[in-house]
Amino acid sequence: ARTALIADPANDRARLLLANALAADGATDRALATLADIPATSAFARTAVDARITVLAGAGREDQALAAARARADAADAQSADFQVYGDQLSAAGRHAEAARYYRRVLDDGADTNWAAWLQYGGALDEAGDWAAARPALERAVALAPAEPLALNYLGYAMAERGGSIAASTSLLERASALKPDDLSILDSLGWAYFLGGNPRRALPLIERAALGQPTNAEIGDHLGDVYWSLGRRYEARYAWRAAALTADAADAARIADKIARGPLATPTAPPTAAP
């Protein structure tokens, strides 16, 4: 990239490549300085702004990344891509309600037929705790992409978790699994729906397979422990929970620790297959 700039100092595409390479090498300030050399009149100026935000976020300078993204999203000439970038930064910072507002602006700016935009908007609302608003957005994503496993999986799992119809949830997840049978996240979701529907024996092989493929996934391990417990396999349940607690965040680790000590407060049950 440096050689390309020596040959053509006005080559802003090479300047972008150099900045990306410097950022990947941990030279954040040099990467930012390289991006700053791309003038506002360049055809790559907008790309350089996005690259600066990415470099800042990748270096752990989230506050600066957020500030830069907001400046673009709130500018008079802001475009859909600017709303998207700021929404992504807000989502990464855990500010899901604010992210949802900017994802809504993406939809209003011409993406209302894009299933992925509806999925992201619904997901942000769901993470913000607004399931009543999230559900129709997620249903819109599925209506636009009825054969998209990601949309089917998100809606099906969220419905099961939020107390919706288990039969409807299971149907969505079975469709997702048929479309992408080797996806471990979908296997876990489908197994969890079976479990919540009172069929832990049917759930077990699916969640065991998911846990085997993703042994550091705390959510899957937590699910596996619940299924084992409901089947009377208490030793294996506590083992699965202890493994899940190793990679869970602080809040989930505390909740799992309570289950290890006392068992789940309430789970679907089945006749035990092993002594407690």
Side-chain angles (χ1 to χ4, degrees):
R2 288 192 178 106
T3 302
L5 285 170
I6 292 170
D8 180 8
N11 187 340
D12 289 330
R13 186 173 185 277
R15 196 163 273 111
L16 281 169
L17 292 171
L18 176 58
N20 288 335
L22 288 166
D25 202 37
T28 303
D29 290 334
R30 289 164 64 195
L32 294 171
T34 301
L35 291 170
D37 287 338
I38 297 176
T41 55
S42 170
F44 294 94
R46 184 171 291 273
T47 304
V49 172
D50 291 344
R52 181 171 182 270
I53 294 166
T54 299
V55 169
L56 288 167
R61 292 155 68 169
E62 292 87 356
D63 289 345
Q64 293 178 55
L66 274 167
R70 179 168 187 170
R72 277 304 316 150
D74 291 346
D77 63 343
Q79 301 177 7
S80 179
D82 299 313
F83 306 145
Q84 179 72 48
V85 169
Y86 187 41
D88 291 346
Q89 292 301 317
L90 288 167
S91 183
R95 295 162 58 178
H96 301 292
E98 295 171 81
R101 290 198 291 271
Y102 281 87
Y103 290 146
R104 177 74 246 189
R105 294 180 71 177
V106 173
L107 290 165
D108 293 341
D109 200 43
D112 60 330
T113 59
N114 184 324
W115 71 268
W118 280 104
L119 180 64
Q120 195 164 41
Y121 174 56
L125 289 168
D126 182 35
E127 290 289 341
D130 190 357
W131 173 240
R135 179 168 180 168
L138 296 170
E139 289 173 337
R140 177 67 173 157
V142 169
L144 288 168
E148 175 49 58
L150 184 61
L152 292 165
N153 182 54
Y154 196 116
L155 177 58
Y157 182 76
M159 285 173 58
E161 283 283 277
R162 306 295 181 265
S165 166
I166 292 297
S169 169
T170 301
S171 176
L172 289 166
L173 293 168
E174 286 175 339
R175 285 164 56 192
S177 187
L179 288 163
K180 202 170 184 181
D182 294 326
D183 189 295
L184 299 179
S185 294
I186 295 175
L187 281 178
D188 173 65
S189 297
L190 179 56
W192 191 240
Y194 287 148
F195 173 71
L196 294 177
N199 196 344
R201 297 185 193 284
R202 192 174 184 186
L204 182 59
L206 300 182
I207 298 181
E208 281 185 324
R209 181 179 164 194
L212 183 65
Q214 294 187 8
T216 61
N217 187 307
E219 185 174 29
I220 294 175
D222 189 17
H223 289 169
L224 182 60
D226 283 11
V227 175
Y228 279 144
W229 184 276
S230 74
L231 292 170
R233 296 165 63 171
R234 306 297 169 84
Y235 179 87
E236 291 161 287
R238 289 190 170 97
Y239 186 93
W241 287 328
R242 287 190 178 99
L246 294 175
T247 56
D249 61 30
D252 285 338
R255 178 180 54 77
I256 293 169
D258 188 64
K259 288 202 289 189
I260 293 170
R262 301 189 298 168
L265 295 178
T267 61
T269 58
T273 58

